[in-house]
Amino acid sequence: MSVKKVEMYTVVCDNCGVSADEGTEYSCWNDENYAKDVAMESGFIKEDNNHYCPKCYSYGDDDELIIDESRKK
């Protein structure tokens, strides 16, 4: 048996560091675009090349994006 290094992808929240795949059966994907699709389906958003999990963002009264800085790591 040999060990081989492979390249895999996941999306992590740029605020708190949680993975989009946390708590699921899978920890990463072999396709970067599929990893992004899975993240968006689980409620992540992308803003200015940053990804945010659903616990780290909300929208204000004027639909402005609000990032919860208290969750920042």
Side-chain angles (χ1 to χ4, degrees), residues 24-36:
T24 68
E25 192 173 315
Y26 300 99
S27 63
C28 54
W29 305 95
N30 65 348
D31 180 89
E32 181 178 357
N33 289 325
Y34 191 73
K36 291 176 184 176

Side-chain angles (χ1 to χ4, degrees), residues 15-73:
N15 193 51
C16 72
V18 70
S19 171
D21 301 312
E22 189 169 295
T24 68
E25 192 173 315
Y26 300 99
S27 63
C28 54
W29 305 95
N30 65 348
D31 180 89
E32 181 178 357
N33 289 325
Y34 191 73
K36 291 176 184 176
D37 290 345
V38 169
M40 297 305 126
E41 289 173 6
S42 66
F44 272 63
I45 61 165
K46 182 179 178 185
E47 181 72 27
D48 297 328
N49 279 336
N50 291 314
H51 291 88
Y52 300 104
C53 74
K55 292 182 179 180
C56 284
Y57 73 89
S58 61
Y59 291 99
D61 293 335
D62 295 323
D63 289 331
E64 74 275 11
L65 180 63
I66 300 169
I67 304 300
D68 184 353
E69 296 294 329
S70 71
R71 293 180 48 82
K72 192 166 187 93
K73 284 193 171 186

